[in-house]
């Protein structure tokens, strides 16, 4: 792994090191920026030239983590030309110089790819279908970051349901993780804004984990109960900066029962009502979970 921090000079020095790996055959490459400035602040030509040296001379790369770097389509083509038979993991979130065609080239040729992490703007029906081809191994992990680069100006395309279904048929055990960093008005292309949260069960019956970090101050009782009814594989949930009544939350936990192995709810989320107050809820929830449970509390320091 190559880790750099603090200065552009250190990032440039890291590129110089990569440029010298002419006689090295490496299997794992990880580029990590621990602070700003980062690899995005160095000369793109310098970075791409250095990365290409590694791609050309290694020929057996199996794991590549190049999040937040100026990697581009031509360098990915070099990667594919030299390491298509060995590449198993590719993490490349926040790589603005890569196009959907660039990542599709990787999926088309690297049939051993098992783990992939990328931004939503690189996701396409063609990419999912390429990952679902007969030649491709079963995908194990797909992480998608949905990030608003220009609030109010970002357009998010939609992906056909048939494309997702093709991926699931081909890789039935695939673990799909989606992180959303959006403003409320930007959720429209996706199936769970506040108004549509209850429809998760219709679209994601295999949902395993759900984390709602911020969802306004309207109670989510009905939405959570619908999820409990339809998402029979749900085992973990976290709620913060939203609201649910104590009785609604108890009903949700009662429906899910002991299969909820992780239940992280901030105390401020729970709204006391005529059925339960804050003193009563922990014992009632603990009863349905089959173990002692308390809501999380914000530190006072």
């Amino acid at each position: 792994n190559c880790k750099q921090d603090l200065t552009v000079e250190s990032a440039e020095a890291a590129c110089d090191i990569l440029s010298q790996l002419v006689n090295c055959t490496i299997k794992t490459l990880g580029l990590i920026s621990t602070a700003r400035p980062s690899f995005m602040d160095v000369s793109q030509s310098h970075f791409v030239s250095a990365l290409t040296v590694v791609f050309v001379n290694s020929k057996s790369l199996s794991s590549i983590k190049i999040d937040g770097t100026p990697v581009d389509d031509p360098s990915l083509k070099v990667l594919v030309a030299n390491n298509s038979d060995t590449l198993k993991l590719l993490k490349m979130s926040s790589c603005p110089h890569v196009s959907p065609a660039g990542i599709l080239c990787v999926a088309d040729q690297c049939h051993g790819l098992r783990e992939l992490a990328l931004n939503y703007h690189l996701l396409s029906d063609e990419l999912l279908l390429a990952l679902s081809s007969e030649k491709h191994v079963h995908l194990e992990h797909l992480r998608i970051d949905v990030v608003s680069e220009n609030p109010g100006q970002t357009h998010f395309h939609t992906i056909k349901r048939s494309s997702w279904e093709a991926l699931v048929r081909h890789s039935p055990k695939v673990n799909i993780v989606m992180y959303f960093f959006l403003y409320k008005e930007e959720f429209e292309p996706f199936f769970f804004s506040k108004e549509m949260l209850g429809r998760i069960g219709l679209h994601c019956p295999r949902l395993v984990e759900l984390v709602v970090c911020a969802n306004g101050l309207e109670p989510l009782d009905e939405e959570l109960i619908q999820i409990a009814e339809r998402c029979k594989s749900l085992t973990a949930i976290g709620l913060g900066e939203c609201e649910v009544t104590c009785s609604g939350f108890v009903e949700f936990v009662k429906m899910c029962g002991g299969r909820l192995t992780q239940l992280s709810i901030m105390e401020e989320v729970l709204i006391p009502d005529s059925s339960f107050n804050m003193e009563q809820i922990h014992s009632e929830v603990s009863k349905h979970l089959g173990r002692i449970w308390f809501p999380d509390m914000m530190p006072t320091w």
Side-chain angles (χ1 to χ4, degrees), residues 120 125 128-129 132 158-169 191 199-206:
Y120 183 83
D125 294 298
L128 292 180
L129 294 176
S132 308
T158 56
I159 302 296
K160 294 178 182 177
R161 182 168 182 167
S162 58
S163 302
W164 288 112
E165 291 173 343
L167 179 66
V168 172
R169 282 196 302 271
F191 45 72
R199 293 178 58 195
I200 285 182
L202 296 176
H203 294 275
C204 304
R206 298 170 66 234

Side-chain angles (χ1 to χ4, degrees), residues 156-188:
F156 292 102
H157 60 287
T158 56
I159 302 296
K160 294 178 182 177
R161 182 168 182 167
S162 58
S163 302
W164 288 112
E165 291 173 343
L167 179 66
V168 172
R169 282 196 302 271
H170 179 266
S171 303
K173 295 183 179 181
V174 62
N175 179 27
I176 301 175
V177 178
M178 297 185 75
Y179 287 86
F180 290 82
F181 305 94
L182 301 176
Y183 291 88
K184 180 179 180 180
E185 60 271 15
E186 295 174 320
F187 271 98
E188 187 60 32

Side-chain angles (χ1 to χ4, degrees), residues 81-98:
N82 292 276
N83 299 273
S84 61
D85 293 335
T86 58
L87 188 64
K88 296 180 180 180
L89 180 151
L90 177 60
K91 292 184 64 178
M92 48 179 302
S93 297
S94 302
C95 295
H97 298 295
V98 174

